[in-house]
Amino acid sequence: MFYCPKDYNDPYSLYRFNPMYGVDPIYGVDPLYRASPMTSYLRVLHSSPKSPAVDVYINDMLKFRNLTYGAFTDYIKVMTGNYNVKLYAAGTKVSPVLNKNIFVPPEKIYTIAAIGLLPHIDLLPVLEPKINDPSDMVYIKFAHLSPNAGPVDIALPNGTILFKNISYKQLTDYIEVPAGTYTLEVRPTGTTTVALYVPNIRLKPQRFYTVYAIGLAGDKPGLQALIPLDGSSYLDLREE
């Protein structure tokens, strides 16, 4: 389903053009040959600990109901542009727990994470870059979304560090690793202390994953890892 950007007046500015065709004095291209609108994909992650389940409104339209902590929505396809996102406690529409405008650039895939603690919830866009013709390796990256945890290293039990000194709200790029079953350890940076132990992660070749560390250190809900399959594994951004 397409969503129209907020305050969207000129659709043609968001369309792809084919320079092979004739030029008009306004847009520079024969409007009969305008291609499909430039679009992107996004989904929403509820990673705000101690916050209630929420209903997600996009440009004041209810899109997702009862999104609980630690859950993802499905991806939706949207036109590039500015959007207003409101989160209300599920089943209510009195006062949003979050009201924020975001810009969605063209031909991108995002997870929009609701982060932080009430009353200071925010949205953090997590880009999922599309790689054409990926190798037979696994692509994996890390997102630190625990609001009270300090910088961390992501390591293997043998001591190999995959990601180093990642602070709250920091996102890494994808790295390539061989397909297989992994155990990850989240450690306070520069130590061998394991703050979060994540065993038996099966990673398949030519797939893209983000490891999201959510929750609270020393409090409830505790630290946990979410490892969904990223949309860059299967969503097609090519012109239809």
Side-chain angles (χ1 to χ4, degrees):
M1 179 176 182
F2 288 98
Y3 278 82
C4 186
K6 186 177 179 64
D7 300 325
Y8 176 61
N9 296 315
D10 180 12
Y12 296 111
S13 64
L14 304 179
Y15 277 55
R16 301 182 182 92
F17 302 109
N18 188 332
M20 294 176 60
Y21 297 107
V23 175
D24 72 21
I26 299 177
Y27 296 106
V29 177
D30 186 337
L32 293 176
Y33 294 98
R34 295 184 191 280
S36 59
M38 298 179 75
T39 57
S40 291
Y41 290 90
L42 63 84
R43 66 180 172 184
V44 181
L45 163 63
H46 184 337
S47 60
S48 173
K50 298 184 181 292
S51 295
V54 295
D55 293 336
V56 181
Y57 285 76
I58 299 178
N59 288 355
D60 293 317
M61 293 186 295
L62 175 60
K63 180 54 187 173
F64 302 109
R65 295 180 184 271
N66 197 34
L67 180 63
T68 57
Y69 171 70
F72 293 82
T73 69
D74 293 331
Y75 287 95
I76 57 173
K77 190 175 186 180
V78 299
M79 295 177 63
T80 185
N82 295 302
Y83 289 86
N84 175 258
V85 178
K86 292 186 179 75
L87 304 181
Y88 292 89
T92 73
K93 199 181 178 185
V94 177
S95 179
V97 296
L98 179 140
N99 180 356
K100 185 169 183 177
N101 295 322
I102 62 172
F103 174 73
V104 179
E107 299 182 320
K108 303 293 183 184
I109 303 170
Y110 281 100
T111 292
I112 307 298
I115 63 170
L117 294 165
L118 285 171
H120 304 296
I121 299 179
D122 200 0
L123 295 180
L124 180 68
V126 181
L127 179 64
E128 299 166 12
K130 185 76 173 178
I131 298 175
N132 294 323
D133 300 319
S135 70
D136 287 331
M137 304 283 275
V138 173
Y139 296 80
I140 188 170
K141 59 188 179 72
F142 178 73
H144 186 334
L145 304 186
S146 172
N148 74 335
V152 296
D153 299 333
I154 311 304
L156 303 178
N158 65 8
T160 300
I161 295 178
L162 301 179
F163 306 103
K164 187 175 182 179
N165 196 28
I166 310 302
S167 299
Y168 174 53
K169 296 194 288 187
Q170 188 174 353
L171 316 169
T172 73
D173 295 326
Y174 286 118
I175 62 171
E176 295 183 37
V177 298
T181 300
Y182 286 81
T183 292
L184 298 180
E185 296 179 350
V186 180
R187 307 171 177 177
T189 292
T191 76
T192 57
T193 302
V194 179
L196 177 61
Y197 182 76
V198 190
N200 301 320
I201 308 165
R202 185 182 177 190
L203 303 178
K204 297 182 179 181
Q206 296 188 329
R207 299 291 189 273
F208 297 77
Y209 303 89
T210 300
V211 179
Y212 293 89
I214 69 170
L216 298 172
D219 200 351
K220 294 182 180 181
L223 294 175
Q224 69 178 105
L226 307 176
I227 312 176
L229 186 64
D230 287 346
S232 44
S233 299
Y234 56 90
L235 294 173
D236 192 352
L237 289 171
R238 293 174 300 178
E239 182 177 339
E240 298 176 354

